[in-house]
Amino acid sequence: MSPSMLDFANHRADATEEDIRALCKTVIQYGFNSAFVNPVHVKLARQLLGNKSKVGTVVSFPLGQDLKDVKIHAIRECIQDGADELDIVPDISKIKEGKADLFEQELIDLTASARSMRKTIIVKFIIETGLFLPEQFLSVSEDPEIRLGKQCIQEAAEAVQKSGADFVKICSGMGKRGVSVDDVVFIRSVVGPTMKIKGAGGIDTKQEVLNLIKAGANRFGTSHAPEIMDEKE
């Protein structure tokens, strides 16, 4: 496992500038992929990291129910401030309402807006899988609720893929639960081998990361990145 697979995150509501300085120092020290911060700290993180590492941020986090124009404005501001990667929360209610076409169109529009600002921007859309399914579900008998939950997640993942985004991100870390192995196995079966998958939420140990890698995930967001790397094999 490489430290470049980890996004070291601080999305706390009380994160201070001093906290962000410490985060960025640690990102450089360990060689993590990025420092993931809230939008108000993107400019500071960019100044601190320079070209030594990437800056990631979140958009419409964690609910995803901002107006689309508000999300577009946030995307543009974050890119102008120096963000390299955007983890965007879509309006998942559209999937629950059976309006997958409207869900997909939002993702297409947001991706296009981001790429119009910078072609190389990395775009991820977050699916809060815990809204649909328990942590373990692949081995559960296919009762109606499980079938419906899997259908909703499949539609959401397919929409992310069609939008031209770079990653499906599983869970915000602020929902009912974090990413599970079953989530990754199922979404990998939906999007195929080339679409990238990021997991987040409750990733605290090296073994959890290794299990998710084995299931098919490529990147991980965690506030425990140093502790994970410092664990003995």
Side-chain angles (χ1 to χ4, degrees), residues 161-181:
Q161 191 169 37
K162 291 175 183 176
S163 75
D166 300 281
F167 282 78
V168 176
K169 181 179 175 183
I170 303 173
C171 295
S172 66
M174 303 288 183
K176 291 183 177 181
R177 63 171 177 83
V179 60
S180 74
V181 167

Side-chain angles (χ1 to χ4, degrees), residues 1 6 135 178-181 184 199-217 219-222 224 228 231:
M1 183 188 70
L6 302 181
E135 185 174 359
V179 60
S180 74
V181 167
V184 176
I203 300 175
D204 303 328
T205 69
K206 183 170 289 187
Q207 190 58 54
E208 287 172 324
V209 174
L210 294 175
N211 291 342
L212 293 167
I213 290 172
K214 185 177 180 181
R219 183 91 66 77
F220 310 93
T222 175
H224 296 277
I228 290 171
E231 277 186 44

Side-chain angles (χ1 to χ4, degrees), residues 91-218:
D91 182 4
I92 201 70
S93 70
K94 293 295 183 288
I95 291 291
K96 296 189 79 171
E97 293 169 351
K99 300 174 181 176
D101 55 336
L102 295 182
F103 179 84
E104 182 181 323
Q105 190 60 53
E106 181 190 46
L107 273 55
I108 290 171
D109 293 345
L110 295 177
T111 303
S113 177
R115 296 272 163 73
S116 71
M117 288 285 295
R118 188 187 305 153
K119 290 183 179 180
T120 57
I121 193 76
I122 300 298
V123 176
K124 312 184 197 86
F125 287 108
I126 300 173
I127 301 175
E128 201 72 77
T129 49
L131 295 174
F132 302 99
L133 290 168
E135 185 174 359
Q136 296 179 318
F137 58 86
L138 290 182
S139 59
V140 176
S141 60
E142 294 259 325
D143 61 52
E145 288 189 9
I146 295 293
R147 285 201 301 271
L148 179 59
K150 290 175 73 173
Q151 179 183 337
C152 287
I153 291 175
Q154 178 176 339
E155 290 176 353
E158 288 172 345
V160 175
Q161 191 169 37
K162 291 175 183 176
S163 75
D166 300 281
F167 282 78
V168 176
K169 181 179 175 183
I170 303 173
C171 295
S172 66
M174 303 288 183
K176 291 183 177 181
R177 63 171 177 83
V179 60
S180 74
V181 167
D182 281 4
D183 289 331
V184 176
V185 170
F186 180 62
I187 289 179
R188 176 58 70 203
S189 74
V190 173
V191 300
T194 57
M195 184 88 187
K196 294 178 182 178
I197 295 175
K198 176 178 175 178
I203 300 175
D204 303 328
T205 69
K206 183 170 289 187
Q207 190 58 54
E208 287 172 324
V209 174
L210 294 175
N211 291 342
L212 293 167
I213 290 172
K214 185 177 180 181
N218 310 98

Side-chain angles (χ1 to χ4, degrees), residues 38-47 55 57 74-84 117-118:
N38 293 325
V40 295
H41 290 131
V42 169
K43 188 176 291 187
L44 173 62
R46 179 80 282 152
Q47 292 169 353
V55 177
T57 193
I75 286 168
R76 291 175 177 172
E77 289 290 310
C78 290
I79 293 174
Q80 287 175 353
D81 284 348
D84 301 295
M117 288 285 295
R118 188 187 305 153

Side-chain angles (χ1 to χ4, degrees), residues 12-49:
R12 296 197 309 268
D14 63 346
T16 65
E17 289 191 3
E18 190 58 35
D19 292 330
I20 303 307
R21 292 181 188 279
L23 183 86
C24 291
K25 181 179 179 180
T26 304
V27 166
I28 294 172
Q29 176 186 348
Y30 281 83
F32 295 132
N33 176 71
S34 68
F36 249 81
V37 301
N38 293 325
V40 295
H41 290 131
V42 169
K43 188 176 291 187
L44 173 62
R46 179 80 282 152
Q47 292 169 353
L48 293 169
L49 291 172

